[in-house]
Amino acid sequence: IHFVPFLIGGLIFIFSGLIYIGWTKALYQRRIRRLTDEVPFAVIILDRNNKVIYTNYQARNWFGARRSRIAEFIEKTGIKKMISEESGADEISVEYNIDSEKRFYQINYIPVRKEKLLIIIDRTQEKLSGELISWAGFAQRLAHEIKNPLSTINLTLQRIQSIYKKKFGKEAKVLDQYTDSILEEVERLRDTTDKFMRILSIKKPEFADHNPHEIIEAVLQKYERNLPRGIKVKRYFAEDISSIKCDQTQLNAAFSNIVENGLEAMEGKGALTIRTAVVEKIADKTVKKYVEIKFEDTGKGMSEQELAKLFKPFESSKPGGTGLGLVITRSIIEQHQGFIKIESKKGIGTVVTVLLPIKR
């Protein structure tokens, strides 16, 4: 008898909730769409006839906005066989070419009543990282063998310069043109091998409590001392961020590379804005809190073709660039269990977003 009021109250709550959901169906649909558009993996829903009835932002971003492109992906990757009743499989790994680039995906299948839910995770970076690790020992020895002769060549040329300048005096300027050119190329090769060796020898982060604002501030102050007058640096730091578990030295290197790229893109005029906030994202099937750091510049921006080449070693739009800086940066962020995303528009600017977990 004592439970009757609670039972009645519970029933009233349930029925009122159902009525409310009925009245606000469109609102809930919008919320669900917004939620699935925020996740870092692709979501595709098929009907009983394997026709695509829903795709989230990441699916459209990876495979194309048109349903025919999604259907083509499903057709070519063996998904139809997986979701057939006799298959019994609920997870497969596939290779798929997008714009002549090979990608690796993990596809999870979940039957939901008469519909079929596909969750697709991009494993390309993990695959490439595994291959990189397997070659790391050999590549490191190779880079070391290249760097040693370069150092010898550099010192020998400097010695030759010293000798012929003493002997020929002013007439040595003609020889200087040739030796200086060789020295520049040697230095460029040494710099490239140094960066390549840094990729191969990035150590595991040594985690400790650090305030990300202090790390960002140290990086900005380093560059602000010599900034052109035409460049302004703006900070919008969230007040509810105290500290996170991170490797201060590694994040300093990662942020320095991002800031340097932004400043170079503005070519002496513009604004670099850094914003921080606490956000929630779905990762590993749970909702986690992250510190979101946005680096926004008003530089020359990048085309879609240039964006597609980011994070590829030895692919750079900068004269003399190696493309290794962003490879190192992403490696550091990922070792912190974080994420990095770059958006850009030609002639407008670039936004680099870094997410770092608050709790590990």
Side-chain angles (χ1 to χ4, degrees):
I1 297 173
H2 295 293
F3 292 103
V4 171
F6 295 98
L7 181 58
I8 295 173
L11 290 172
I12 293 172
F13 176 80
I14 292 170
F15 279 113
S16 62
L18 289 172
I19 293 170
Y20 178 75
I21 290 172
W23 285 347
T24 59
K25 183 179 179 181
L27 174 63
Y28 274 85
Q29 286 178 339
R30 287 197 297 271
R31 287 182 177 177
I32 291 170
R33 288 178 182 275
R34 193 180 305 125
L35 176 64
T36 56
D37 280 343
E38 286 291 325
V39 298
F41 46 80
V43 176
I44 300 173
I45 299 176
L46 310 176
D47 64 11
R48 66 173 70 184
N49 298 315
N50 295 333
K51 182 180 178 181
V52 178
I53 58 176
Y54 174 77
T55 58
N56 72 337
Y57 168 78
Q58 202 63 272
R60 298 188 298 272
N61 183 44
W62 288 348
F63 311 121
R66 291 183 299 173
R67 295 283 172 90
S68 59
R69 293 290 299 276
I70 304 291
E72 180 182 340
F73 169 75
I74 293 171
E75 186 70 34
K76 291 184 176 180
T77 52
I79 292 176
K80 280 189 176 181
K81 183 179 179 180
M82 179 181 69
I83 62 180
S84 63
E85 293 181 1
E86 64 273 10
S87 169
D90 58 5
E91 180 180 310
I92 58 172
S93 296
V94 302
E95 296 180 14
Y96 190 68
N97 289 336
I98 297 180
D99 298 328
S100 300
E101 181 182 358
K102 184 181 289 185
R103 309 292 298 181
F104 300 89
Y105 296 104
Q106 174 189 318
I107 302 172
N108 298 276
Y109 163 53
I110 304 170
V112 183
R113 294 187 178 181
K114 297 178 181 180
E115 295 172 347
K116 301 164 185 178
L117 173 64
L118 299 174
I119 296 175
I120 303 166
I121 303 170
D122 191 337
R123 298 296 191 192
T124 305
Q125 186 56 38
E126 294 175 24
K127 177 81 172 176
L128 295 178
S129 296
E131 292 176 357
L132 181 62
I133 290 171
S134 66
W135 281 90
F138 169 77
Q140 206 163 18
R141 289 193 297 273
L142 179 62
H144 187 72
E145 289 300 319
I146 293 172
K147 188 178 178 182
N148 282 345
L150 289 175
S151 298
T152 303
I153 293 169
N154 188 64
L155 291 171
T156 303
L157 283 170
Q158 289 177 356
R159 180 60 179 161
I160 290 172
Q161 274 188 329
S162 176
I163 292 172
Y164 71 63
K165 282 181 179 179
K166 287 181 181 178
K167 186 172 183 179
F168 298 110
K170 294 181 179 179
E171 296 176 0
K173 288 183 179 180
V174 177
L175 292 172
D176 277 344
Q177 293 177 4
Y178 299 107
T179 52
D180 285 345
S181 178
I182 296 171
L183 285 169
E184 286 177 9
E185 291 303 307
V186 168
E187 189 58 35
R188 186 176 66 83
L189 288 171
R190 287 179 63 187
D191 183 59
T192 300
T193 52
D194 280 342
K195 288 180 178 178
F196 188 59
M197 290 177 73
R198 281 174 59 195
I199 295 174
L200 299 171
S201 61
I202 290 177
K203 298 178 181 178
K204 288 186 177 180
E206 296 181 3
F207 293 104
D209 289 322
H210 295 286
N211 189 314
H213 292 160
E214 293 178 0
I215 300 175
I216 297 168
E217 193 61 43
V219 171
L220 294 178
Q221 288 180 9
K222 178 174 63 177
Y223 288 98
E224 281 182 313
R225 298 188 191 104
N226 301 306
L227 278 184
R229 290 185 179 181
I231 291 182
K232 304 295 181 185
V233 177
K234 302 177 182 179
R235 303 161 173 81
Y236 297 95
F237 291 166
E239 296 180 357
D240 55 344
I241 297 174
S242 53
S243 65
I244 60 173
K245 294 284 186 182
C246 65
D247 186 310
Q248 183 180 19
T249 302
Q250 289 193 5
L251 285 189
N252 188 293
F255 294 159
S256 293
N257 187 62
I258 295 170
V259 169
E260 188 171 321
N261 285 346
L263 295 175
E264 288 180 359
M266 291 188 286
E267 298 178 334
K269 186 177 181 181
L272 176 67
T273 304
I274 297 89
R275 306 178 192 272
T276 65
V278 175
V279 298
E280 291 184 345
K281 297 284 183 182
I282 295 177
D284 299 326
K285 299 181 181 180
T286 60
V287 178
K288 296 183 179 180
K289 285 189 175 182
Y290 293 84
V291 172
E292 180 185 69
I293 307 166
K294 286 184 177 290
F295 300 84
E296 307 170 3
D297 70 65
T298 58
K300 55 188 177 183
M302 290 176 281
S303 64
E304 291 184 4
Q305 290 77 16
E306 289 171 324
L307 277 172
K309 293 180 180 179
L310 291 179
F311 304 115
K312 290 184 178 180
F314 308 110
E315 293 278 359
S316 177
S317 58
K318 294 190 294 185
T322 61
L324 296 176
L326 281 177
V327 175
I328 295 170
T329 297
R330 183 165 71 173
S331 178
I332 290 171
I333 299 302
E334 288 181 347
Q335 288 204 53
H336 281 73
Q337 297 179 11
F339 304 91
I340 181 170
K341 179 181 179 181
I342 300 180
E343 302 166 287
S344 189
K345 291 290 184 182
K346 197 74 173 177
I348 296 177
T350 300
V351 179
V352 180
T353 303
V354 173
L355 294 178
L356 295 169
I358 291 178
K359 292 184 179 179
R360 296 187 51 78

